[in-house]
Amino acid sequence: MRRLRMGMIGGGPGAFIGPVHRYAAEMDREIELVAGVFSSDAGRSLAAADAYRTDPARAYPTLEAMFAAERARPDGIDFVTIVSPNHHHLPAARAALAAGLPVMTDKPLTATLAQAHELAGLVRAAGLPFGVTYTYSGYPLVREARARIAAGALGAIRKIVVEYPQGWLAGEAVGKQAEWRVDPARAGLGGCIGDIGVHAFHLAEFISGLKVTHLLADLGAVVPGRALDDDCTVLLRFAGADGSARAACCWRARSKWASATACASASMARRVG
């Protein structure tokens, strides 16, 4: 059986998540990156193709050019992965679905809730596979914790606490990766909450198997002059349990970690990574 052929949207020179998607996709040798619109700048898109060791003729300047050229090839792309900043997720996904291509996109789904509702409607109408990457759900320890809770090893879940602190944005946002994350025009309405808070939220539901029914969020910015949140605390109410989520990009930490704690009637489990 041949590998699935992936086209990438974003992931140009200096990008962080583009190479991560490429590594993860190709890890089991079932997918290969063959084409992309790696940058809105044609020259940078070519430079990215060289770094990814893909055919420079398949480094396209626009989405329209990629979809048209790949449709005409016998070995055209099978799906796209979107790794561009948040504000581009909806237009890129809309264009790919219109071209008849399944989509895998980086989180968050879109820059705003209204855009998310629009995209959900587009996916339903297209009837094509669509996924959002939450990398931690693939970790063996996370899968094991989820399986044990589902099997009742901890008893009934009563309390869930999840946190994801980072320190790399504790000061001035300098550099490509930092600058767009604190810019509402590119990041959307959420800063830290949309960047890493969504991982904490996903871990809480994924590991526990419970769905959040209510929430109360305090989204603040502690770095002077910052337009988006960098320190977030959220009270959560699940169907059958209470909990909280904490996400921060402003801690003076040397590294980052994510942890989820589930307190149950028979035991307690904690996952840290």
Side-chain angles (χ1 to χ4, degrees):
M1 186 173 65
R2 71 168 179 84
R3 299 183 192 180
L4 290 174
R5 295 182 287 262
M6 181 174 76
M8 182 177 286
I9 300 173
F16 166 70
I17 206 63
V20 173
H21 275 242
R22 190 266 182 95
Y23 299 149
E26 296 187 343
M27 190 174 293
D28 59 6
R29 300 185 65 80
E30 293 187 4
I31 296 172
E32 60 180 333
L33 174 63
V34 299
V37 182
F38 303 110
S39 172
S40 57
D41 179 272
R44 291 174 61 81
S45 194
L46 279 170
D50 181 64
Y52 290 130
R53 297 183 181 179
T54 59
D55 183 351
R58 300 175 78 174
Y60 300 99
T62 65
L63 297 179
E64 294 75 17
M66 179 170 72
F67 297 147
E70 292 295 314
R71 188 184 303 114
R73 297 178 64 104
D75 60 347
I77 57 176
D78 296 305
F79 75 102
V80 299
T81 183
I82 300 172
V83 296
S84 51
N86 304 346
H87 73 295
H88 195 245
H89 289 188
L90 175 60
R94 183 195 292 120
L97 293 169
L101 290 167
V103 175
M104 180 65 73
T105 184
D106 197 47
K107 54 76 206 163
L109 181 62
T110 57
T112 68
L113 179 59
Q115 289 181 356
H117 285 307
E118 179 183 345
L119 182 51
L122 293 171
V123 172
R124 284 192 294 267
L128 293 167
F130 187 98
V132 182
T133 51
Y134 289 105
T135 53
Y136 298 106
S137 62
Y139 286 24
L141 284 176
V142 170
R143 294 275 173 166
E144 179 66 18
R146 175 183 167 90
R148 291 191 184 191
I149 289 174
L154 273 66
I157 301 300
R158 294 175 174 174
K159 189 81 171 181
I160 300 166
V161 179
V162 59
E163 59 182 6
Y164 193 156
Q166 292 182 345
W168 74 292
L169 284 176
E172 184 181 357
V174 178
K176 177 180 178 179
Q177 294 306 310
E179 290 169 358
W180 76 258
R181 283 177 167 83
V182 299
D183 177 8
R186 290 178 286 176
L189 298 179
C192 175
I193 196 69
D195 193 33
I196 61 175
V198 290
H199 279 305
F201 184 91
H202 176 259
L203 275 174
E205 289 196 331
F206 183 80
I207 294 177
S208 71
L210 302 177
K211 295 296 183 182
V212 170
T213 60
H214 299 77
L215 61 82
L216 177 63
D218 178 18
L219 309 182
V222 300
V223 175
R226 184 153 292 168
L228 293 175
D229 59 90
D230 57 23
D231 188 47
C232 313
T233 301
V234 186
L235 296 178
L236 303 172
R237 180 164 295 167
F238 297 80
D242 289 332
S244 64
R246 183 80 193 275
C249 297
C250 59
W251 291 14
R252 290 289 183 183
R254 292 186 179 180
S255 60
K256 62 181 180 181
W257 73 91
S259 71
T261 303
C263 300
S265 58
S267 185
M268 182 177 78
R270 181 172 178 84
R271 180 266 176 194
V272 180

